[in-house]
Amino acid sequence: MKKVTAIAPANIAFIKYWGRTDNKLFLPLNPSISMTMDKCLTKTTGFIDSNIKDDLIEIKEFNSNEFIKLDKVNNIKAHDVYNQIERIRNLSDIKGKVHIYTENSFPSDSGIASSASGFCALTACLLNLFERQDLFIDKKEFSKQVRLCGSGSAVRSVYGGFVEFTSGETHEESYAVQLYDENFWDLYDLVCIVDPSKKKVSSSKGHMDSNTSPFMKARQIELSDRIKEVKKALSKKDLPSLGKCIEEEAISMHAVMMTQKPPLFYFEPGTISIIKQLIDLRKEKYILGYFTIDAGANVHVITDRANLTNLQMELEKNPFIKSIIVNKPFKGAFLSEDHLI
Ligand code: DP6
């Protein structure tokens, strides 16, 4: 029996994807830029199973020992997963049902971009299982296939290093582009876990309501300059300039989230505590760490090698932080012979 295993990393957005221009093709309102992470991975093994009548996904959650069937009915993400299977099967002559096993190396749905790694690994696995390797090998095509599953962040996990997800008005125009590979800059993302529980409102629902915020217009006006600044800071490996931009960007996205209708509040007390700690550390101890936050309470602290040890030591003193995952840039999604089952 042919088994296919794909591994995909999560990524952290420096410029955020929040809002869409098309909810069927999942075209983003603005381009986003991210760094691919080496410690937050999803591994997915699939095979065509002649013993099952329906496609079947089994998930092993972080820190669990058993695979649990993904409930199709009460889970919006599950709906997207089963749709992606159906869609990719329709691109193939192979018509069998698939049995998929998947596991994460980190807590899911809590603002660490588990859907990025999850949907990217799933799409890589399916394209190879249904013998559409042509759409996997060509990374631009691969990223467009990933986009159609509905997770924009997953598009950026196609590549390693530093990646842009272009906006665009058509399916052909919106895809991932690698800006620099994983060896370009020894940057770190310290994911500070203050709350490992799952988020209550999906990003998908959030995107749909985002244009109800009066601040969305202002955000779009300032974004084009900020994108230029992030690219410039990356090209010069300039941490303070990059840090300033990514903090402004995270605040801008959360200002929209908090003012859209209904409003979305992802921050917890620990989130604010880390933001203030980082500002104080820069001012008082000249230790450089910069925050960014996705759709969850956990804080991603971006730093470089020179600041890493001192910064980690300081963050470990913060009583809100339950654990820290230290990530470096990593390669994009890839296939493996080390199957889950
Ligand atoms: C806040 O539609 O990609 O993380 O599939 O849940 O990751 P998920 O949501 P998606 O929106 C991403 C929202 C974000 C910002 C970002 O990663 O760019």
Side-chain angles (χ1 to χ4, degrees), residues 1-149:
M1 180 204 312
K2 178 184 165 182
K3 285 184 196 168
V4 174
T5 294
I7 297 176
N11 63 77
I12 178 62
F14 294 164
I15 296 289
K16 309 293 187 186
Y17 157 45
W18 195 246
R20 297 180 187 136
T21 55
D22 185 308
N23 285 313
K24 286 205 177 80
L25 292 172
F26 304 105
L27 300 173
L29 189 58
N30 58 267
S32 53
I33 296 176
S34 64
M35 181 180 105
T36 307
M37 298 149 75
D38 73 334
K39 292 288 179 326
C40 297
L41 307 174
T42 298
K43 187 176 196 179
T44 299
T45 297
F47 55 94
I48 305 289
D49 191 341
S50 52
N51 298 318
I52 52 176
K53 286 202 181 72
D54 283 318
D55 299 314
L56 184 56
I57 319 284
E58 302 199 43
I59 296 191
K60 196 196 278 178
E61 292 286 359
F62 177 64
N63 272 346
S64 160
N65 289 324
E66 47 169 357
F67 283 98
I68 311 261
K69 285 178 192 162
L70 184 62
D71 174 10
K72 219 182 211 174
V73 185
N74 295 319
N75 186 324
I76 178 168
K77 287 272 188 238
H79 188 74
D80 294 342
V81 168
Y82 286 103
N83 276 352
Q84 184 74 335
I85 295 174
E86 195 58 48
R87 213 183 53 72
I88 293 181
R89 181 167 35 229
N90 287 336
L91 302 174
S92 166
D93 294 332
I94 300 169
K95 295 298 169 207
K97 299 296 177 192
V98 292
H99 199 151
I100 304 266
Y101 288 84
T102 189
E103 73 175 28
N104 281 343
S105 68
F106 61 105
S108 54
D109 292 330
S110 53
I112 321 176
S114 57
S115 55
S117 55
F119 279 109
C120 192
L122 175 75
T123 307
C125 176
L126 292 171
L127 288 173
N128 286 281
L129 200 55
F130 285 112
E131 295 190 355
R132 290 304 308 260
Q133 284 89 348
D134 54 321
L135 297 176
F136 172 69
I137 292 162
D138 180 334
K139 295 282 180 248
K140 182 171 166 183
E141 286 308 318
F142 176 28
S143 69
K144 284 154 58 187
Q145 291 301 321
V146 176
R147 171 169 45 73
L148 291 174
C149 72

Side-chain angles (χ1 to χ4, degrees), residues 292-309:
T292 183
I293 302 146
D294 279 342
N298 301 315
V299 181
H300 296 250
V301 180
I302 306 299
T303 193
D304 61 7
R305 176 161 277 291
N307 288 279
L308 179 66
T309 311

